[in-house]
Amino acid sequence: QVQLVESGGGLVQAGGSLRLSCAASGGTFRHYTMGWFRQPPGKEREFVAAISWSVDITSYADSVKGRFTMSRDNARNTVYLQMNSLKPEDTADYYCAASTLTMTRNGYQYDYWGQGTQVTVSS
């Protein structure tokens, strides 16, 4: 059973930073694309970022490009999302997910999901 556990969410002022972590267990992740998604209050889930587990390739939504950085630590089976210059519109529940498809941005193509961590950015 693959498990993903997010951590690192919280309340931060606009312009501040947070780093989210996602620890993976129960599977071999060398062939998985890992993704971050978010769901703002009252809105649909949206893609944020993805990283290939075996090759250091990343992809970002336009809304976060240049502010967010996704990285991985293979030894720890953990991926991170460094979020800088946060804006109130970044407020959302953030989810980590794993997919067998290469660098997909489609949430329906992710097989495993974490429980989510809440990020609130105050103005």
Side-chain angles (χ1 to χ4, degrees):
Q1 183 76 20
V2 174
Q3 290 189 329
L4 302 173
V5 180
E6 303 97 334
S7 61
L11 173 64
V12 64
Q13 289 188 332
S17 298
L18 282 175
R19 188 177 81 155
L20 305 183
S21 300
C22 173
S25 62
T28 302
F29 292 92
R30 287 178 297 173
H31 302 296
Y32 279 77
T33 290
M34 300 297 294
W36 284 100
F37 291 79
R38 67 186 182 186
Q39 186 165 16
K43 297 184 179 181
E44 293 186 352
R45 182 182 62 198
E46 61 186 25
F47 170 79
V48 175
I51 190 167
S52 173
W53 198 264
S54 57
V55 180
D56 203 3
I57 298 173
T58 53
S59 175
Y60 299 96
D62 288 344
S63 59
V64 306
K65 199 173 294 183
R67 300 188 298 120
F68 290 12
T69 302
M70 188 173 183
S71 61
R72 56 171 167 75
D73 183 335
N74 289 346
R76 297 177 182 269
N77 273 358
T78 300
V79 295
Y80 304 96
L81 185 68
Q82 178 66 43
M83 306 186 295
N84 298 329
S85 302
L86 283 162
K87 305 175 181 180
E89 50 264 43
D90 294 317
T91 295
D93 291 325
Y94 283 72
Y95 297 89
C96 172
S99 173
T100 56
L101 298 180
T102 303
M103 298 303 289
T104 178
R105 295 185 170 208
N106 185 342
Y108 292 103
Q109 295 176 333
Y110 280 76
D111 305 292
Y112 305 103
W113 292 84
Q115 83 288 350
T117 186
Q118 189 174 59
V119 172
T120 302
V121 184
S122 63
S123 57

